[in-house]
Amino acid sequence: MRILLVEDERKLSGVIKRSLNEFNYAVDLANNGDDALFIAESNPYDLIILDIMLPGKDGISICRNLRKNKNDTPILMLTARDDEEDKVTGLDSGADDYITKPFSYPEFLARVRALLRRKNTVKTTRLKIADLELDQLTRKAYRSGKEIELRPTEYSLLEYLMNNAGQVITRTMISDHVWNGDFEAFSNVINVYVNYLKKKIDYGHSKQLIHSLRGVGYMFKEE
Ligand code: CA
């Protein structure tokens, strides 16, 4: 699960990020409205947590923009005060839920889970590239229709690679998104897992899907 957190107060964004990381959500951070809109439009997220008062574009206009461009990622808005008008405007602009700062973390996390659940019941998500299919609900992979057994980390890694197919994926990106930055980018652990995955996915197939780019990282692509 990958979440975009848009919050300009560094102390608060740090605490929120850590609380989400604890539950194994991968979190990207944006601290101004213009970056936020760009990042949200160029990456697939499972949830966007969006503060209203931001430098640059405010949360309401970001939300309107995303919905106008048919982006239906669930949005949880953070409102600074118990302001009825902010809540109404927020929901009207296309947000799915809001929470008023300061909030309790158990409640915040419950709302995050609820929105992620809602997303998963509405969408049957199946990624398909070449003859490799990934079912994001059952977390199973199939190559040429044949099921491939994946361990949880291998699944997360493959999902990340497929979501970024055709792009250069550095070890730092993998470390940040699959391991929440727990490993250094040069850590051998990433190589080891990519190799496990290559064996499971590509071994015995004429078309390679996972490619190593020497000194750079990896790329998932159909050749
Ligand atoms: Ca703010």
Side-chain angles (χ1 to χ4, degrees):
M1 289 293 178
R2 193 176 175 199
I3 297 175
L4 175 62
L5 170 62
V6 186
E7 169 60 73
D8 57 315
E9 291 159 53
R10 283 186 189 274
K11 226 170 149 183
L12 182 60
S13 66
V15 179
I16 296 178
K17 186 174 191 290
R18 278 194 297 280
S19 74
L20 291 167
N21 285 160
E22 242 173 74
F23 290 86
N24 289 322
Y25 299 119
V27 180
D28 289 344
L29 208 56
N31 54 25
N32 70 71
D34 300 310
D35 282 359
L37 186 60
F38 177 75
I39 296 170
E41 288 191 318
S42 27
N43 301 281
Y45 287 101
D46 299 296
L47 175 68
I48 298 171
I49 298 167
L50 188 56
D51 187 28
I52 292 187
M53 297 287 285
L54 293 164
K57 274 190 190 57
D58 66 33
I60 303 281
S61 44
I62 293 171
C63 192
R64 283 205 185 104
N65 263 291
L66 289 171
R67 296 308 188 228
K68 200 180 75 198
N69 298 336
K70 306 270 179 273
N71 183 318
D72 62 354
T73 308
I75 294 176
L76 174 62
M77 273 203 174
L78 305 179
T79 64
R81 20 172 214 282
D82 210 358
D83 184 333
E84 204 64 36
E85 203 182 326
D86 263 5
K87 291 172 189 167
V88 173
T89 319
L91 293 172
D92 280 348
S93 70
D96 298 274
D97 198 3
Y98 61 82
I99 191 163
T100 307
K101 292 193 272 189
F103 46 77
S104 82
Y105 280 87
E107 184 192 352
F108 169 73
L109 290 164
R111 283 171 191 256
V112 165
R113 283 193 299 272
L115 287 173
L116 291 171
R117 258 200 317 273
R118 205 183 300 169
K119 179 184 189 248
N120 281 339
T121 49
V122 176
K123 264 194 193 162
T124 314
T125 23
R126 236 179 143 89
L127 295 174
K128 188 172 192 296
I129 295 171
D131 58 351
L132 180 67
E133 277 187 80
L134 195 67
D135 188 323
Q136 293 176 293
L137 292 182
T138 61
R139 297 170 76 87
K140 283 181 177 166
Y142 303 86
R143 181 110 199 228
S144 303
K146 205 176 155 227
E147 191 185 331
I148 300 161
E149 293 256 5
L150 294 178
R151 285 178 286 180
T153 307
E154 293 167 344
Y155 171 86
S156 302
L157 180 59
L158 181 59
E159 186 183 47
Y160 185 67
L161 293 173
M162 288 180 82
N163 271 326
N164 293 282
Q167 295 177 44
V168 173
I169 300 163
T170 63
R171 286 180 188 82
T172 310
M173 288 162 77
I174 294 179
S175 165
D176 286 349
H177 292 278
V178 181
W179 276 278
N180 286 323
D182 286 347
F183 291 122
E184 295 293 336
F186 50 80
S187 163
N188 193 39
V189 174
I190 294 170
N191 284 338
V192 169
Y193 269 91
V194 172
N195 284 331
Y196 285 156
L197 200 54
K198 265 190 188 176
K199 263 186 201 150
K200 291 189 174 183
I201 299 302
D202 283 335
Y203 186 77
H205 293 270
S206 54
K207 260 190 204 165
Q208 290 258 309
L209 296 173
I210 300 171
H211 304 265
S212 298
L213 309 172
R214 192 172 284 276
V216 182
Y218 307 95
M219 189 183 283
F220 190 100
K221 64 172 177 183
E222 193 181 348
E223 258 190 346

